[in-house]
Every structure is written in C-alpha cells, then in structure tokens.
Amino acid sequence: MMPPPPRSSTTLYSQQQHEAQDEFVVEEEATEANMTTTTTTRAKTPLSEIVEAFEELAKSLNSRRIRNSDKGAGGELRLDAFSKTCSLVSVLFSCLGLAFRFAESEYVAKVRDLVEASKEYNTLQTILDLDVANGTVRTSGSHSRNLRRVRQGLDLIRALFEQFLSTNDYSLREAATTAYSQVCAPYHTWAVRTAVYAGMYTLPTRDQLLLNLNETEHSAEKNMRRYINASLPVIEYIDRLYISRNIRLDW
C-alpha cells in the first residue's frame, strides 16, 4: 500500500489559516456571550426590578381605569399585585442605613399585613370599604391604616429621588431631610421627628448609595426617574380611594 503523498507547504499554510480563523470565531463568540451575560446581569439591579414592577402596576391600573371609567377612583387595583410590588421597596430603605431604619421596620410590617390580607381580599377598594363599614379606617392595625402608611413609604422614596436628582451638589442628607419633611414629618410626633433628623447624619454619601444599589450615576438617574413616573399614578390612585369615600388625608 502506497503512503499518502506529502502535503504541500501551501496546503499546510491554508489549513493552519482555517484553524486559526475557527479558533478566533469561537473565541469571539465566547466573548460576545460573556458580554451579553454581563450586560444582562448588570441590568437587573434591585432598583430596576422595583421600577419594572411599578411600571407593570401602573400599566395595569391604567387599563382598568379605561375599562371602569364610571368608578369613583378610576378602576380597581388588585391587592396581591400591589402588596407584592411594594414588598420589593424595602431594600431601598435598608440601603439608606440607620437613619431610615424606623421607616424600614414600619414599612415592612405594614406591607406584610397587606400581603396576608391579599389572601382573603381581592382589591384595595375591598379592604377600605370593609374598614369604612366597621368604622376602623384609622384604627391602629387596620388594613386601611396600614395601606395609608405604605402609601407614605412609596411617596417618601419618590420625594427622595426627586430631591436626589434635582442637583449633583445636593447631598443625600439634604435630599432625605427635605423629602422626610414634605412627606412624613407632618404626621410624626416631635420625638420621632427629632430622632429622624438626628439620624440623617448617618446617611451614606451619594457615591455610597449608588454602590449599595449597584447603580452608576447614569443608570441610577434613569431608574429613579422611571420610579417617580411609575409610582405617582399608584400613589394618586390610593389618595382618590380615600377622598372618594370622604376620608381626609391629614393623618
């Protein structure tokens, strides 16, 4: 049997070129896959997940408002979807450190109550109507009172983000102080207000907050604005639920 003829140097060179190209393509595809995975991973931050959930909630609320335009508050909002979305926000309070520990503990407890209530009641309107009928809207521990406090927590984060974005020179302490004074201080006792304002000095810096949230300056600005836009319709909807039942909001 005759041995195969030796390959020419040209053939060998051509084969080596093809092998090198194949290796390059494989390496390039692996790099692209890596970059895609990294981008996807970076895109999913605690803040972006919260924003997406509130955008879905606002979208759902808007579609129900269109279908139920005859209802006083503009449609209905499911309690399970609302409480599940609100439960995501607690991570924002924890990122703010000791100064907002009071808000975190109160907020988490109130949201947990609404989560439990959602197993029995379908909508926000249902729990409010039940407390109206029982005369327990402002009673400590009632679902309606807890809903009011959760709403204040959402509004506090909204106001904080607005102040945070108003200028790059605004410290987080200044932003948080202004937001708290606008949203929560009018309803807190002197002792609580004093403790909160003292705690503001323990807040992280702007850069530390971005690090805690796993955000860049650019991504944080984008997501904070999205939260402001998505949460506001939900906050206003809750206010209309109370107002349409002749319940004042000064508590």
Side-chain angles (χ1 to χ4, degrees):
M1 186 174 179
M2 297 287 293
R7 289 180 292 180
S8 67
S9 59
T10 304
T11 304
L12 285 172
Y13 176 75
S14 176
Q15 183 179 352
Q16 288 170 348
Q17 271 193 318
H18 281 302
E19 288 174 352
Q21 286 174 348
D22 288 343
E23 287 176 7
F24 176 79
V25 169
V26 170
E27 197 170 36
E28 189 176 43
E29 287 174 349
T31 302
E32 288 176 352
N34 252 352
M35 290 174 63
T36 302
T37 303
T38 303
T39 303
T40 304
T41 304
R42 286 179 181 172
K44 282 293 181 182
T45 64
L47 183 53
S48 67
E49 288 185 8
I50 292 168
V51 166
E52 289 172 8
F54 268 96
E55 287 175 340
E56 284 300 314
L57 204 62
K59 189 188 304 180
S60 170
L61 181 59
N62 186 54
S63 65
R64 285 184 172 85
R65 182 179 297 132
I66 293 171
R67 293 198 304 269
N68 301 279
S69 57
D70 59 319
K71 296 185 183 292
E76 296 184 341
L77 187 60
R78 289 194 59 84
L79 183 56
D80 54 0
F82 173 77
S83 56
K84 181 179 179 181
T85 298
C86 290
S87 65
L88 299 174
V89 178
S90 59
V91 68
L92 297 181
F93 288 109
S94 63
C95 286
L96 293 169
L98 292 174
F100 277 75
R101 188 61 53 83
F102 80 95
E104 181 185 6
S105 58
E106 181 177 76
Y107 180 86
V108 169
K110 303 309 188 261
V111 170
R112 189 180 297 121
D113 172 74
L114 296 181
V115 170
E116 288 302 312
S118 70
K119 298 174 183 177
E120 185 175 355
Y121 306 108
N122 290 331
T123 67
L124 273 64
Q125 289 186 345
T126 307
I127 60 172
L128 190 52
D129 286 337
L130 182 65
D131 282 329
V132 168
N134 293 332
T136 54
V137 170
R138 299 195 186 194
T139 301
S140 179
S142 73
H143 300 318
S144 297
R145 185 179 181 87
N146 289 342
L147 173 61
R148 176 75 181 145
R149 294 295 174 259
V150 169
R151 174 255 182 242
Q152 286 180 340
L154 301 179
D155 201 23
L156 178 60
I157 294 296
R158 178 203 58 78
L160 173 62
F161 284 173
E162 281 188 344
Q163 295 301 320
F164 187 85
L165 296 174
S166 61
T167 171
N168 289 333
D169 297 327
Y170 215 25
S171 72
L172 181 58
R173 180 173 63 83
E174 291 170 319
T177 300
T178 302
Y180 173 78
S181 299
Q182 292 174 351
V183 177
C184 297
Y187 312 110
H188 285 169
T189 63
W190 176 86
V192 172
R193 291 197 304 270
T194 302
V196 171
Y197 286 131
M200 293 295 181
Y201 289 92
T202 68
L203 284 169
T205 64
R206 288 176 68 100
D207 289 341
Q208 286 171 335
L209 177 62
L210 295 178
L211 186 63
N212 292 343
L213 293 173
N214 195 26
E215 299 280 350
T216 64
E217 189 80 37
H218 175 73
S219 68
E221 179 177 352
K222 179 181 176 181
N223 285 326
M224 285 179 181
R225 292 196 187 283
R226 287 173 63 194
Y227 174 85
I228 292 168
N229 293 333
S231 65
L232 192 56
V234 177
I235 292 168
E236 291 175 342
Y237 168 80
I238 296 172
D239 286 347
R240 288 196 300 273
L241 284 180
Y242 288 88
I243 293 170
S244 65
R245 289 160 177 76
N246 297 316
I247 303 170
R248 294 164 61 95
L249 301 177
D250 58 347
W251 54 286

